[in-house]
Amino acid sequence: MQERAQLKSYIDALQSASISNFNRAEQRAYWINLYNALTVEIILSRFPVESIREINISPGFFTRGPWGAKLLTIEGEKLSLDDIEHRILRPIWKDNRVHYAVNCASLGCPNLQPVAYTGENTEALLEKGAREFINHPRGVAIMNDKLKVSSIYVWFQEDFGGSTEGLIEHWNKYATGSLMETLKNYRGGLDHVYDWRLNGAESK
């Protein structure tokens, strides 16, 4: 209960901040932290659930999940998780590594980092997140001589060059060991998968 109260206080403090006075690096860290904190709070407020997609609080008849719900007020503007990811982080920073930072509380997600992002550590954490995910079977794996990758790379392929070649170029920056060797000469197609079950220790 104490941790939950601390989380709520943290979200309230972020909503009270004058984000427009932050520098660019601080702003990026702020939005990542706010996204992740709110996601955790959404899960805790409706736990137990098997998947975040069961929390159908977004507006519209055919929507699933909480991402469209305007649950935050930042400098007088109502914002949703979708707003943070798709109106702020992706278009303003144009950095595909943001997909390794924002977490949707699912087993298919990259790891939620154990520390908050700051203006000073964000670059290192983004690199860490990319390297961890790409070299984990949840991110990129070879199965029956074919790449089986996270659906994140298909849903947001435009952020990774818009093609399989662009994805492989991105993966090559971080791949190690046998994956690195396989990617060098890979010319096949892609299968993709995403596990929406609620994440936990086994996702590591």
Side-chain angles (χ1 to χ4, degrees), residues 58-122:
S58 297
F61 290 109
F62 302 105
T63 57
R64 293 189 70 181
W67 296 284
K70 306 266 187 189
L71 301 176
L72 299 164
T73 303
I74 311 298
E75 294 190 333
E77 183 175 356
K78 298 280 189 182
L79 295 175
S80 66
L81 290 170
D82 272 348
D83 291 329
I84 294 174
E85 183 175 5
H86 305 305
R87 287 181 48 209
I88 298 172
L89 283 169
R90 290 178 62 219
I92 293 176
W93 277 272
K94 300 185 187 306
D95 186 338
N96 53 35
R97 296 173 304 168
V98 73
H99 296 292
Y100 306 117
V102 294
N103 191 281
C104 62
S106 302
L107 283 169
C109 265
N111 291 345
L112 179 62
Q113 296 299 326
V115 296
Y117 288 76
T118 68
E120 292 74 28
N121 72 11
T122 294

Short mmCIF file of all heavy atoms in Angstrom, two decimals, residues 58-122:
data_model
loop_
_atom_site.label_atom_id
_atom_site.label_comp_id
_atom_site.label_asym_id
_atom_site.label_seq_id
_atom_site.Cartn_x
_atom_site.Cartn_y
_atom_site.Cartn_z
N SER A 58 -10.64 3.10 -22.96
CA SER A 58 -10.46 4.08 -24.03
C SER A 58 -11.81 4.42 -24.65
O SER A 58 -12.71 3.57 -24.70
CB SER A 58 -9.53 3.52 -25.11
OG SER A 58 -8.25 3.29 -24.59
N PRO A 59 -11.98 5.64 -25.15
CA PRO A 59 -13.25 6.00 -25.80
C PRO A 59 -13.40 5.28 -27.13
O PRO A 59 -12.42 4.92 -27.78
CB PRO A 59 -13.11 7.51 -25.99
CG PRO A 59 -11.64 7.77 -26.03
CD PRO A 59 -11.02 6.76 -25.11
N GLY A 60 -14.65 5.08 -27.53
CA GLY A 60 -14.92 4.43 -28.81
C GLY A 60 -15.42 3.01 -28.62
O GLY A 60 -15.06 2.32 -27.67
N PHE A 61 -16.23 2.56 -29.58
CA PHE A 61 -16.87 1.25 -29.47
C PHE A 61 -15.92 0.10 -29.79
O PHE A 61 -16.10 -1.00 -29.32
CB PHE A 61 -18.09 1.18 -30.40
CG PHE A 61 -19.24 2.04 -29.95
CD1 PHE A 61 -19.57 3.18 -30.65
CD2 PHE A 61 -19.98 1.70 -28.83
CE1 PHE A 61 -20.63 3.98 -30.24
CE2 PHE A 61 -21.04 2.49 -28.41
CZ PHE A 61 -21.36 3.63 -29.11
N PHE A 62 -14.93 0.33 -30.63
CA PHE A 62 -14.10 -0.76 -31.12
C PHE A 62 -12.67 -0.67 -30.61
O PHE A 62 -11.75 -1.22 -31.20
CB PHE A 62 -14.11 -0.76 -32.65
CG PHE A 62 -15.48 -0.89 -33.23
CD1 PHE A 62 -16.11 0.21 -33.79
CD2 PHE A 62 -16.16 -2.09 -33.18
CE1 PHE A 62 -17.39 0.11 -34.31
CE2 PHE A 62 -17.45 -2.21 -33.70
CZ PHE A 62 -18.06 -1.11 -34.27
N THR A 63 -12.46 0.01 -29.49
CA THR A 63 -11.12 0.15 -28.94
C THR A 63 -10.91 -0.89 -27.83
O THR A 63 -11.84 -1.34 -27.19
CB THR A 63 -10.91 1.55 -28.35
OG1 THR A 63 -11.92 1.81 -27.36
CG2 THR A 63 -10.98 2.61 -29.44
N ARG A 64 -9.64 -1.26 -27.65
CA ARG A 64 -9.27 -2.18 -26.57
C ARG A 64 -8.16 -1.54 -25.77
O ARG A 64 -7.28 -0.87 -26.33
CB ARG A 64 -8.79 -3.52 -27.13
CG ARG A 64 -9.86 -4.32 -27.83
CD ARG A 64 -9.36 -5.72 -28.16
NE ARG A 64 -9.20 -6.53 -26.96
CZ ARG A 64 -8.76 -7.78 -26.97
NH1 ARG A 64 -8.42 -8.35 -28.10
NH2 ARG A 64 -8.65 -8.46 -25.84
N GLY A 65 -8.18 -1.76 -24.47
CA GLY A 65 -7.10 -1.27 -23.63
C GLY A 65 -7.31 0.15 -23.15
O GLY A 65 -8.32 0.80 -23.43
N PRO A 66 -6.32 0.67 -22.40
CA PRO A 66 -6.45 1.97 -21.76
C PRO A 66 -5.77 3.12 -22.50
O PRO A 66 -5.79 4.25 -22.04
CB PRO A 66 -5.73 1.74 -20.43
CG PRO A 66 -4.59 0.82 -20.82
CD PRO A 66 -5.14 -0.08 -21.90
N TRP A 67 -5.17 2.84 -23.66
CA TRP A 67 -4.23 3.80 -24.23
C TRP A 67 -4.87 5.11 -24.71
O TRP A 67 -4.19 6.13 -24.77
CB TRP A 67 -3.47 3.14 -25.38
CG TRP A 67 -2.62 2.01 -24.90
CD1 TRP A 67 -1.43 2.09 -24.23
CD2 TRP A 67 -2.92 0.62 -24.99
NE1 TRP A 67 -0.97 0.83 -23.92
CE2 TRP A 67 -1.85 -0.10 -24.37
CE3 TRP A 67 -3.97 -0.11 -25.56
CZ2 TRP A 67 -1.83 -1.48 -24.30
CZ3 TRP A 67 -3.95 -1.50 -25.49
CH2 TRP A 67 -2.89 -2.17 -24.86
N GLY A 68 -6.14 5.09 -25.04
CA GLY A 68 -6.78 6.31 -25.52
C GLY A 68 -7.46 7.14 -24.45
O GLY A 68 -7.95 8.24 -24.74
N ALA A 69 -7.49 6.65 -23.21
CA ALA A 69 -8.17 7.37 -22.13
C ALA A 69 -7.33 8.57 -21.68
O ALA A 69 -6.14 8.42 -21.39
CB ALA A 69 -8.42 6.44 -20.96
N LYS A 70 -7.95 9.73 -21.60
CA LYS A 70 -7.25 10.95 -21.21
C LYS A 70 -7.19 11.01 -19.67
O LYS A 70 -8.03 11.61 -19.01
CB LYS A 70 -7.97 12.18 -21.75
CG LYS A 70 -8.20 12.14 -23.26
CD LYS A 70 -7.11 12.84 -24.01
CE LYS A 70 -7.44 12.93 -25.50
NZ LYS A 70 -6.30 13.42 -26.29
N LEU A 71 -6.18 10.38 -19.12
CA LEU A 71 -6.07 10.22 -17.67
C LEU A 71 -5.14 11.23 -17.02
O LEU A 71 -5.04 11.28 -15.79
CB LEU A 71 -5.58 8.80 -17.34
CG LEU A 71 -6.45 7.65 -17.87
CD1 LEU A 71 -5.79 6.32 -17.56
CD2 LEU A 71 -7.84 7.72 -17.25
N LEU A 72 -4.44 12.02 -17.81
CA LEU A 72 -3.46 12.96 -17.29
C LEU A 72 -3.82 14.38 -17.68
O LEU A 72 -4.46 14.61 -18.71
CB LEU A 72 -2.07 12.63 -17.85
CG LEU A 72 -1.50 11.25 -17.53
CD1 LEU A 72 -0.33 10.95 -18.46
CD2 LEU A 72 -1.06 11.18 -16.08
N THR A 73 -3.38 15.32 -16.86
CA THR A 73 -3.48 16.73 -17.22
C THR A 73 -2.11 17.36 -17.05
O THR A 73 -1.58 17.45 -15.94
CB THR A 73 -4.51 17.47 -16.34
OG1 THR A 73 -5.79 16.83 -16.46
CG2 THR A 73 -4.63 18.93 -16.78
N ILE A 74 -1.51 17.77 -18.15
CA ILE A 74 -0.17 18.35 -18.15
C ILE A 74 -0.25 19.78 -18.66
O ILE A 74 -0.65 20.02 -19.80
CB ILE A 74 0.80 17.54 -19.04
CG1 ILE A 74 0.71 16.05 -18.72
CG2 ILE A 74 2.22 18.07 -18.89
CD1 ILE A 74 1.11 15.67 -17.31
N GLU A 75 0.09 20.72 -17.81
CA GLU A 75 0.02 22.14 -18.15
C GLU A 75 -1.32 22.49 -18.79
O GLU A 75 -1.40 23.19 -19.79
CB GLU A 75 1.20 22.52 -19.05
CG GLU A 75 2.55 22.41 -18.34
CD GLU A 75 3.69 23.01 -19.12
OE1 GLU A 75 3.63 23.05 -20.37
OE2 GLU A 75 4.68 23.43 -18.48
N GLY A 76 -2.38 21.96 -18.19
CA GLY A 76 -3.74 22.29 -18.62
C GLY A 76 -4.28 21.46 -19.76
O GLY A 76 -5.45 21.61 -20.12
N GLU A 77 -3.50 20.58 -20.33
CA GLU A 77 -3.96 19.78 -21.46
C GLU A 77 -4.19 18.33 -21.04
O GLU A 77 -3.33 17.72 -20.40
CB GLU A 77 -2.96 19.81 -22.61
CG GLU A 77 -3.44 19.04 -23.84
CD GLU A 77 -2.51 19.18 -25.03
OE1 GLU A 77 -1.53 19.93 -24.94
OE2 GLU A 77 -2.78 18.52 -26.05
N LYS A 78 -5.35 17.78 -21.40
CA LYS A 78 -5.66 16.39 -21.12
C LYS A 78 -4.89 15.50 -22.09
O LYS A 78 -4.92 15.71 -23.31
CB LYS A 78 -7.16 16.13 -21.28
CG LYS A 78 -8.04 16.92 -20.33
CD LYS A 78 -8.06 16.28 -18.95
CE LYS A 78 -9.11 16.94 -18.06
NZ LYS A 78 -9.13 16.35 -16.70
N LEU A 79 -4.22 14.49 -21.54
CA LEU A 79 -3.40 13.61 -22.37
C LEU A 79 -3.63 12.15 -22.03
O LEU A 79 -3.97 11.81 -20.90
CB LEU A 79 -1.91 13.93 -22.19
CG LEU A 79 -1.41 15.30 -22.64
CD1 LEU A 79 0.05 15.47 -22.27
CD2 LEU A 79 -1.61 15.48 -24.13
N SER A 80 -3.42 11.30 -23.02
CA SER A 80 -3.52 9.85 -22.86
C SER A 80 -2.14 9.23 -23.06
O SER A 80 -1.19 9.89 -23.50
CB SER A 80 -4.50 9.28 -23.89
OG SER A 80 -3.97 9.45 -25.20
N LEU A 81 -2.06 7.93 -22.80
CA LEU A 81 -0.83 7.21 -23.12
C LEU A 81 -0.52 7.28 -24.61
O LEU A 81 0.64 7.45 -25.01
CB LEU A 81 -0.96 5.75 -22.67
CG LEU A 81 -0.97 5.50 -21.16
CD1 LEU A 81 -1.35 4.05 -20.88
CD2 LEU A 81 0.37 5.81 -20.53
N ASP A 82 -1.55 7.15 -25.44
CA ASP A 82 -1.34 7.28 -26.89
C ASP A 82 -0.77 8.64 -27.24
O ASP A 82 0.09 8.76 -28.12
CB ASP A 82 -2.65 7.05 -27.64
CG ASP A 82 -2.89 5.60 -27.97
OD1 ASP A 82 -1.96 4.78 -27.84
OD2 ASP A 82 -4.03 5.26 -28.38
N ASP A 83 -1.27 9.68 -26.60
CA ASP A 83 -0.76 11.02 -26.87
C ASP A 83 0.73 11.12 -26.56
O ASP A 83 1.50 11.69 -27.33
CB ASP A 83 -1.51 12.07 -26.04
CG ASP A 83 -2.95 12.25 -26.47
OD1 ASP A 83 -3.24 12.08 -27.67
OD2 ASP A 83 -3.79 12.56 -25.60
N ILE A 84 1.12 10.56 -25.42
CA ILE A 84 2.53 10.63 -25.03
C ILE A 84 3.41 9.90 -26.05
O ILE A 84 4.44 10.43 -26.48
CB ILE A 84 2.74 10.03 -23.63
CG1 ILE A 84 2.04 10.89 -22.57
CG2 ILE A 84 4.23 9.91 -23.31
CD1 ILE A 84 2.07 10.30 -21.18
N GLU A 85 2.98 8.71 -26.44
CA GLU A 85 3.82 7.92 -27.35
C GLU A 85 3.77 8.45 -28.79
O GLU A 85 4.83 8.61 -29.42
CB GLU A 85 3.39 6.45 -27.33
CG GLU A 85 4.28 5.57 -28.20
CD GLU A 85 3.95 4.09 -28.11
OE1 GLU A 85 2.96 3.73 -27.44
OE2 GLU A 85 4.70 3.29 -28.72
N HIS A 86 2.57 8.70 -29.30
CA HIS A 86 2.41 8.94 -30.73
C HIS A 86 2.31 10.42 -31.13
O HIS A 86 2.51 10.75 -32.30
CB HIS A 86 1.19 8.19 -31.26
CG HIS A 86 1.23 6.72 -30.94
ND1 HIS A 86 2.29 5.92 -31.29
CD2 HIS A 86 0.35 5.93 -30.27
CE1 HIS A 86 2.06 4.69 -30.88
NE2 HIS A 86 0.90 4.67 -30.24
N ARG A 87 2.03 11.29 -30.16
CA ARG A 87 2.01 12.73 -30.47
C ARG A 87 3.24 13.45 -29.92
O ARG A 87 3.53 14.57 -30.36
CB ARG A 87 0.75 13.37 -29.88
CG ARG A 87 -0.54 13.04 -30.62
CD ARG A 87 -1.72 13.74 -29.96
NE ARG A 87 -1.43 15.15 -29.72
CZ ARG A 87 -1.96 15.88 -28.72
NH1 ARG A 87 -2.80 15.30 -27.86
NH2 ARG A 87 -1.67 17.14 -28.58
N ILE A 88 3.92 12.83 -28.97
CA ILE A 88 5.05 13.52 -28.34
C ILE A 88 6.36 12.77 -28.59
O ILE A 88 7.22 13.25 -29.33
CB ILE A 88 4.79 13.70 -26.83
CG1 ILE A 88 3.55 14.58 -26.60
CG2 ILE A 88 6.02 14.34 -26.15
CD1 ILE A 88 3.08 14.67 -25.16
N LEU A 89 6.52 11.59 -28.00
CA LEU A 89 7.82 10.92 -28.05
C LEU A 89 8.25 10.54 -29.46
O LEU A 89 9.37 10.84 -29.89
CB LEU A 89 7.79 9.68 -27.15
CG LEU A 89 7.92 9.95 -25.65
CD1 LEU A 89 7.60 8.70 -24.86
CD2 LEU A 89 9.31 10.47 -25.29
N ARG A 90 7.40 9.85 -30.19
CA ARG A 90 7.81 9.39 -31.53
C ARG A 90 8.03 10.53 -32.51
O ARG A 90 9.09 10.59 -33.15
CB ARG A 90 6.80 8.39 -32.08
CG ARG A 90 6.80 7.05 -31.34
CD ARG A 90 5.73 6.11 -31.90
NE ARG A 90 5.98 5.80 -33.29
CZ ARG A 90 5.01 5.69 -34.21
NH1 ARG A 90 3.73 5.88 -33.88
NH2 ARG A 90 5.31 5.38 -35.46
N PRO A 91 7.09 11.46 -32.67
CA PRO A 91 7.30 12.50 -33.69
C PRO A 91 8.31 13.57 -33.31
O PRO A 91 8.97 14.13 -34.19
CB PRO A 91 5.90 13.10 -33.87
CG PRO A 91 5.19 12.82 -32.59
CD PRO A 91 5.72 11.51 -32.10
N ILE A 92 8.45 13.87 -32.04
CA ILE A 92 9.36 14.95 -31.65
C ILE A 92 10.81 14.48 -31.63
O ILE A 92 11.71 15.15 -32.14
CB ILE A 92 8.96 15.55 -30.29
CG1 ILE A 92 7.61 16.28 -30.42
CG2 ILE A 92 10.04 16.50 -29.76
CD1 ILE A 92 7.06 16.82 -29.12
N TRP A 93 11.04 13.29 -31.06
CA TRP A 93 12.43 12.82 -30.95
C TRP A 93 12.86 11.94 -32.12
O TRP A 93 14.04 11.82 -32.38
CB TRP A 93 12.63 12.10 -29.62
CG TRP A 93 12.91 13.08 -28.53
CD1 TRP A 93 14.13 13.58 -28.14
CD2 TRP A 93 11.95 13.74 -27.70
NE1 TRP A 93 13.97 14.49 -27.12
CE2 TRP A 93 12.64 14.61 -26.83
CE3 TRP A 93 10.55 13.67 -27.59
CZ2 TRP A 93 12.01 15.41 -25.88
CZ3 TRP A 93 9.91 14.47 -26.66
CH2 TRP A 93 10.64 15.32 -25.82
N LYS A 94 11.90 11.35 -32.81
CA LYS A 94 12.22 10.53 -33.99
C LYS A 94 13.36 9.55 -33.69
O LYS A 94 14.32 9.41 -34.45
CB LYS A 94 12.58 11.41 -35.20
CG LYS A 94 11.46 12.35 -35.62
CD LYS A 94 11.82 13.10 -36.88
CE LYS A 94 10.80 14.17 -37.21
NZ LYS A 94 9.43 13.69 -37.29
N ASP A 95 13.25 8.87 -32.58
CA ASP A 95 14.26 7.93 -32.13
C ASP A 95 13.58 6.58 -31.90
O ASP A 95 12.78 6.44 -30.96
CB ASP A 95 14.90 8.43 -30.83
CG ASP A 95 16.07 7.59 -30.35
OD1 ASP A 95 16.16 6.40 -30.75
OD2 ASP A 95 16.89 8.09 -29.56
N ASN A 96 13.87 5.60 -32.76
CA ASN A 96 13.16 4.33 -32.65
C ASN A 96 13.45 3.59 -31.35
O ASN A 96 12.71 2.67 -30.98
CB ASN A 96 13.44 3.42 -33.86
CG ASN A 96 14.92 3.22 -34.14
OD1 ASN A 96 15.73 3.17 -33.22
ND2 ASN A 96 15.26 3.10 -35.42
N ARG A 97 14.48 4.01 -30.64
CA ARG A 97 14.79 3.35 -29.36
C ARG A 97 13.75 3.64 -28.29
O ARG A 97 13.75 3.00 -27.23
CB ARG A 97 16.18 3.75 -28.89
CG ARG A 97 17.31 3.29 -29.80
CD ARG A 97 18.63 3.87 -29.35
NE ARG A 97 18.57 5.32 -29.28
CZ ARG A 97 19.50 6.09 -28.71
NH1 ARG A 97 20.55 5.53 -28.13
NH2 ARG A 97 19.37 7.40 -28.70
N VAL A 98 12.84 4.57 -28.55
CA VAL A 98 11.78 4.84 -27.57
C VAL A 98 10.92 3.59 -27.36
O VAL A 98 10.34 3.40 -26.29
CB VAL A 98 10.90 6.03 -28.02
CG1 VAL A 98 10.00 5.67 -29.19
CG2 VAL A 98 10.06 6.54 -26.86
N HIS A 99 10.88 2.71 -28.36
CA HIS A 99 10.10 1.49 -28.22
C HIS A 99 10.70 0.54 -27.18
O HIS A 99 10.02 -0.38 -26.73
CB HIS A 99 9.98 0.79 -29.57
CG HIS A 99 9.22 1.59 -30.58
ND1 HIS A 99 7.87 1.86 -30.47
CD2 HIS A 99 9.63 2.23 -31.72
CE1 HIS A 99 7.48 2.60 -31.49
NE2 HIS A 99 8.52 2.84 -32.26
N TYR A 100 11.96 0.75 -26.84
CA TYR A 100 12.58 -0.05 -25.79
C TYR A 100 12.42 0.59 -24.41
O TYR A 100 12.84 0.02 -23.41
CB TYR A 100 14.08 -0.24 -26.08
CG TYR A 100 14.35 -0.81 -27.44
CD1 TYR A 100 15.04 -0.08 -28.39
CD2 TYR A 100 13.90 -2.07 -27.77
CE1 TYR A 100 15.28 -0.60 -29.66
CE2 TYR A 100 14.12 -2.61 -29.04
CZ TYR A 100 14.81 -1.86 -29.98
OH TYR A 100 15.04 -2.38 -31.23
N ALA A 101 11.82 1.77 -24.38
CA ALA A 101 11.69 2.53 -23.12
C ALA A 101 10.27 2.52 -22.57
O ALA A 101 10.06 2.27 -21.39
CB ALA A 101 12.17 3.97 -23.34
N VAL A 102 9.29 2.81 -23.42
CA VAL A 102 7.90 2.82 -22.94
C VAL A 102 7.42 1.38 -22.83
O VAL A 102 7.64 0.56 -23.71
CB VAL A 102 6.98 3.66 -23.85
CG1 VAL A 102 7.37 5.12 -23.79
CG2 VAL A 102 7.01 3.18 -25.30
N ASN A 103 6.76 1.08 -21.74
CA ASN A 103 6.43 -0.30 -21.41
C ASN A 103 4.92 -0.47 -21.29
O ASN A 103 4.26 0.33 -20.62
CB ASN A 103 7.11 -0.71 -20.10
CG ASN A 103 7.03 -2.19 -19.83
OD1 ASN A 103 6.00 -2.68 -19.40
ND2 ASN A 103 8.12 -2.90 -20.09
N CYS A 104 4.38 -1.52 -21.92
CA CYS A 104 2.92 -1.72 -21.88
C CYS A 104 2.52 -2.87 -20.97
O CYS A 104 1.43 -3.42 -21.11
CB CYS A 104 2.37 -1.94 -23.29
SG CYS A 104 3.02 -3.40 -24.08
N ALA A 105 3.39 -3.21 -20.03
CA ALA A 105 3.07 -4.20 -18.99
C ALA A 105 2.72 -5.57 -19.55
O ALA A 105 1.90 -6.29 -18.99
CB ALA A 105 1.92 -3.68 -18.11
N SER A 106 3.35 -5.94 -20.66
CA SER A 106 3.09 -7.22 -21.30
C SER A 106 4.37 -8.02 -21.43
O SER A 106 5.47 -7.45 -21.53
CB SER A 106 2.47 -7.02 -22.68
OG SER A 106 1.28 -6.29 -22.60
N LEU A 107 4.24 -9.35 -21.47
CA LEU A 107 5.41 -10.20 -21.60
C LEU A 107 6.16 -9.92 -22.90
O LEU A 107 7.38 -10.11 -22.97
CB LEU A 107 4.99 -11.67 -21.57
CG LEU A 107 4.67 -12.24 -20.19
CD1 LEU A 107 4.01 -13.61 -20.32
CD2 LEU A 107 5.93 -12.36 -19.35
N GLY A 108 5.46 -9.46 -23.91
CA GLY A 108 6.11 -9.17 -25.18
C GLY A 108 6.90 -7.89 -25.21
O GLY A 108 7.63 -7.62 -26.16
N CYS A 109 6.78 -7.07 -24.17
CA CYS A 109 7.46 -5.77 -24.12
C CYS A 109 8.94 -5.92 -23.81
O CYS A 109 9.36 -6.86 -23.15
CB CYS A 109 6.86 -4.91 -23.00
SG CYS A 109 5.58 -3.81 -23.57
N PRO A 110 9.74 -4.94 -24.25
CA PRO A 110 11.09 -4.83 -23.70
C PRO A 110 11.02 -4.64 -22.19
O PRO A 110 9.99 -4.24 -21.65
CB PRO A 110 11.64 -3.58 -24.39
CG PRO A 110 10.86 -3.47 -25.66
CD PRO A 110 9.48 -3.96 -25.31
N ASN A 111 12.14 -4.91 -21.52
CA ASN A 111 12.17 -4.81 -20.07
C ASN A 111 11.90 -3.39 -19.58
O ASN A 111 12.37 -2.42 -20.18
CB ASN A 111 13.55 -5.24 -19.53
CG ASN A 111 13.81 -6.72 -19.72
OD1 ASN A 111 12.90 -7.50 -19.98
ND2 ASN A 111 15.06 -7.11 -19.59
N LEU A 112 11.16 -3.30 -18.49
CA LEU A 112 11.01 -2.03 -17.79
C LEU A 112 12.28 -1.82 -16.97
O LEU A 112 12.61 -2.64 -16.10
CB LEU A 112 9.78 -2.07 -16.88
CG LEU A 112 9.49 -0.82 -16.04
CD1 LEU A 112 9.20 0.37 -16.94
CD2 LEU A 112 8.31 -1.08 -15.11
N GLN A 113 12.99 -0.76 -17.24
CA GLN A 113 14.26 -0.53 -16.54
C GLN A 113 14.02 -0.29 -15.05
O GLN A 113 13.00 0.29 -14.66
CB GLN A 113 15.00 0.64 -17.17
CG GLN A 113 15.42 0.41 -18.61
CD GLN A 113 16.37 -0.77 -18.78
OE1 GLN A 113 17.20 -1.04 -17.92
NE2 GLN A 113 16.24 -1.48 -19.89
N PRO A 114 14.94 -0.71 -14.20
CA PRO A 114 14.73 -0.62 -12.75
C PRO A 114 14.98 0.77 -12.17
O PRO A 114 14.83 0.97 -10.97
CB PRO A 114 15.74 -1.63 -12.20
CG PRO A 114 16.84 -1.64 -13.20
CD PRO A 114 16.18 -1.45 -14.53
N VAL A 115 15.38 1.72 -12.99
CA VAL A 115 15.62 3.09 -12.52
C VAL A 115 14.84 4.06 -13.40
O VAL A 115 14.48 3.75 -14.53
CB VAL A 115 17.13 3.44 -12.55
CG1 VAL A 115 17.90 2.56 -11.59
CG2 VAL A 115 17.69 3.34 -13.96
N ALA A 116 14.60 5.24 -12.87
CA ALA A 116 13.92 6.28 -13.64
C ALA A 116 14.87 6.88 -14.67
O ALA A 116 16.09 6.91 -14.48
CB ALA A 116 13.41 7.37 -12.70
N TYR A 117 14.30 7.34 -15.76
CA TYR A 117 15.08 8.03 -16.78
C TYR A 117 15.35 9.46 -16.33
O TYR A 117 14.51 10.10 -15.69
CB TYR A 117 14.33 8.05 -18.10
CG TYR A 117 14.28 6.70 -18.79
CD1 TYR A 117 13.41 5.69 -18.34
CD2 TYR A 117 15.09 6.42 -19.88
CE1 TYR A 117 13.37 4.45 -18.96
CE2 TYR A 117 15.06 5.18 -20.50
CZ TYR A 117 14.20 4.21 -20.04
OH TYR A 117 14.17 2.98 -20.65
N THR A 118 16.54 9.96 -16.65
CA THR A 118 16.90 11.35 -16.37
C THR A 118 17.53 11.94 -17.62
O THR A 118 17.86 11.22 -18.58
CB THR A 118 17.91 11.44 -15.21
OG1 THR A 118 19.17 10.87 -15.64
CG2 THR A 118 17.43 10.70 -13.97
N GLY A 119 17.73 13.24 -17.59
CA GLY A 119 18.40 13.87 -18.71
C GLY A 119 19.79 13.31 -18.94
O GLY A 119 20.30 13.31 -20.07
N GLU A 120 20.40 12.81 -17.87
CA GLU A 120 21.78 12.32 -17.96
C GLU A 120 21.87 10.85 -18.37
O GLU A 120 22.83 10.45 -19.04
CB GLU A 120 22.51 12.51 -16.63
CG GLU A 120 22.78 13.96 -16.25
CD GLU A 120 21.53 14.71 -15.79
OE1 GLU A 120 20.61 14.03 -15.25
OE2 GLU A 120 21.47 15.94 -15.98
N ASN A 121 20.92 10.03 -17.95
CA ASN A 121 21.09 8.59 -18.18
C ASN A 121 20.23 8.02 -19.31
O ASN A 121 20.34 6.84 -19.64
CB ASN A 121 20.80 7.80 -16.89
CG ASN A 121 19.31 7.75 -16.52
OD1 ASN A 121 18.44 8.12 -17.28
ND2 ASN A 121 19.03 7.29 -15.32
N THR A 122 19.38 8.84 -19.94
CA THR A 122 18.45 8.31 -20.93
C THR A 122 19.17 7.65 -22.10
O THR A 122 18.80 6.56 -22.55
CB THR A 122 17.51 9.41 -21.44
OG1 THR A 122 16.67 9.84 -20.36
CG2 THR A 122 16.63 8.91 -22.58
#
